[in-house]
């Protein structure tokens, strides 16, 4: 059966997958010049509107400057910038030139930056002034946004002043739907980050997600608080809002819970999106008074959403946070969606269903056939029935690319383990590397962690399997306590009992380690593989 939303998917694909496609036209020039793209908010909450006309003018100048620096269509240009007007101008300038954007996260140390710049052969790096000292190699040109004074670097503002938007080199270069837009890297939660090239036609899927899952409509105030150095922030805080043209907030400041509360309230945010850790930080900031919000929709992605956050948000924000699941390789694919046509109740703890344009399944552990309802298996995407799929394989890594597909090429394997209920909704169990097999039982760490964080003295928890002669593996928990709380044998026993009472008697952690913090990626994801290799005794 073809639904209205399937038709919408087809229209979006037609729109973004064209030989004449240039992302600067699709994301900027096609919107009326006076239309507001972003409300830019400074850390002191001063705010101003940024229109598509301004973006068009300034990004055209920047494109001419890049051309003059020798940047050719297809060349890589990196940004090492937080959310700012300069970032959006740089991105649109890069795409106008037909070049490919390489995002770098501002919390990266120099080795992580050099790894990505080398792997992507970047020719130019645009950096915020406070980031520029991290750029030490000489095989790329550096452009510095903000204060002057970096030796050898070009100044962003000088470049804009030095070119006109009607310069012939400022003209949009068409790269087509298969042309590359971004060269991004995965988070590195399970090992070395993988390079993911993103074609222009992927914009159709980002646009669809904003409509279908976030239900952002004209007149809404949308805010995705994620950082643009990662897929979640780049796709859905920058690309999707520019694609749909709905005004969005761009907060030019680092994260703090009080600031987030204030922005939500003062700017009347209606649709909020952020990683689960952001919601946990908001919850911990008890000083906030939980009223005066205009929120209609809230969602989180990137990590499992523990049920405690959902019930808290209903009380504190007036709206439950809904779980959305995706990967750098595809963007969001399985969501508890907010669009009225998709807004069906899903069981507690479920991530929701596949979005229109995607077909997702759970494959059995040992054969490439669909698992029975409720049976845990490999979460996979049907490459034959997912018109929005755009993944092209990993950068320079055919082996890792091949390992993502079943032998016949039909199914893309996400590397995640989960199950599907009879109603079609999906549950996340764990990453396949993190599954614990104890005495023949398969246990996902997430369910055990969800119980541990219910304890009011626990701030965070991670559970891993450790080798055990008798049982193959046993569970060990790494627990971070709330400020001012000390670990003790009694507390450890209490936590073990909590798991026995609320999850399963056999799956309690044999050892509970109280630790000051958990190993995480720069984007805040828990790296359980580091804990598995760790001797904390
Ligand atoms: P790497 O692939 O380099 O190890 P990564 O998988 O963390 O890193 P991303 O593409 O940023 O890199 O993250 C995608 C992964 O994040 C998913 O495969 C899944 O494991 C996890 N994830 C995303 N959203 C959710 C969610 N809603 N619930 C549970 N897990 C999620
Ligand atoms: Mg991954």
């Amino acid at each position: 059966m073809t639904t209205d939303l399937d038709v919408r998917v087809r229209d979006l694909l037609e729109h973004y997958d064209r030989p004449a496609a240039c992302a600067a036209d699709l994301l900027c020039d096609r919107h009326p010049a006076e239309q507001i793209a972003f409300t830019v908010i400074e850390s002191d909450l001063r705010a101003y509107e940024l229109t598509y006309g301004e973006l068009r003018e300034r990004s055209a100048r920047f494109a001419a400057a890049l051309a003059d620096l020798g940047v050719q269509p297809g060349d890589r240009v990196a940004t090492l910038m937080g959310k700012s007007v300069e970032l959006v101008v740089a991105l649109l300038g890069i795409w106008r030139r037909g070049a490919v954007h390489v995002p770098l996260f501002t919390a990266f140390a120099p080795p992580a930056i050099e790894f990505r710049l080398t792997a992507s052969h970047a020719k130019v790096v645009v950096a915020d002034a406070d980031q520029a000292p991290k750029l030490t190699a000489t095989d790329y040109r550096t452009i510095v946004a903000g204060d002057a004074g970096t030796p050898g670097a070009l100044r962003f503002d000088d470049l804009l002043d030095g070119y006109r938007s009607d310069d012939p080199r400022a003209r949009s270069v068409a790269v087509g739907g298969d042309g590359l837009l971004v060269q991004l890297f995965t988070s590195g939660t399970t090992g070395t980050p993988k390079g993911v090239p993103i074609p222009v036609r992927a914009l159709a899927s980002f646009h669809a997600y904003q409509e279908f899952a976030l239900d952002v409509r004209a007149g809404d105030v949308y805010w995705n608080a994620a950082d643009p150095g990662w897929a979640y922030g780049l796709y859905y805080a920058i690309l999707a809002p520019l694609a749909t043209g709905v005004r969005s907030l761009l907060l030019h400041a680092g994260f703090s819970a009080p600031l987030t509360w204030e922005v939500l309230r003062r700017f009347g945010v209606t649709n909020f999106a952020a990683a689960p850790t952001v919601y946990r930080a908001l919850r911990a900031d008890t000083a906030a008074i939980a009223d005066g919000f205009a929120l209609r929709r809230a969602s989180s992605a990137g990590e499992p959403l523990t049920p405690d956050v959902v019930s808290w948000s209903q009380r504190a924000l007036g709206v439950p946070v809904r779980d959305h699941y995706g990967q750098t390789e595809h963007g969001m694919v399985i969501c508890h969606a907010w669009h009225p046509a998709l807004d069906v109740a899903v069981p507690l703890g479920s991530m929701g269903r596949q979005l229109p344009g995607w077909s997702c399944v759970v494959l059995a552990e040992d054969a490439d056939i669909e698992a029975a309802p409720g049976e845990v298996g490999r979460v996979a995407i049907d490459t034959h029935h997912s018109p929005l799929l755009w993944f092209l394989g990993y950068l320079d890594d055919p082996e890792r690319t091949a390992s993502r597909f079943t032998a016949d090429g039909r199914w893309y394997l996400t590397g995640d383990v989960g199950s599907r209920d009879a109603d079609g909704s999906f549950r996340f169990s764990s990453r396949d590397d993190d599954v614990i097999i104890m005495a023949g039982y398969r246990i996902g760490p997430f369910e055990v962690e969800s119980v541990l964080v219910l304890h009011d003295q626990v701030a965070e928890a991670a559970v891993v399997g450790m080798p055990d002669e008798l049982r193959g593996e046993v569970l060990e928990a790494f627990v971070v306590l709330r400020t001012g709380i000390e670990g003790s044998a009694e507390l450890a026993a209490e936590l073990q009992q909590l798991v026995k009472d609320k999850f399963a008697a056999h799956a309690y952690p044999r050892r509970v380690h109280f630790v000051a913090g958990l190993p995480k990626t720069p984007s805040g994801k828990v790296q359980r593989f580091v804990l598995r290799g760790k001797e904390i005794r």
Side-chain angles (χ1 to χ4, degrees), residues 16-21 175-180 198-202:
Y16 290 104
D17 192 4
R18 281 181 285 146
V175 300
D178 288 327
L180 290 191
I198 302 165
V200 169
R201 64 187 155 81

Side-chain angles (χ1 to χ4, degrees), residues 227 268 437:
D227 191 278
I437 302 177

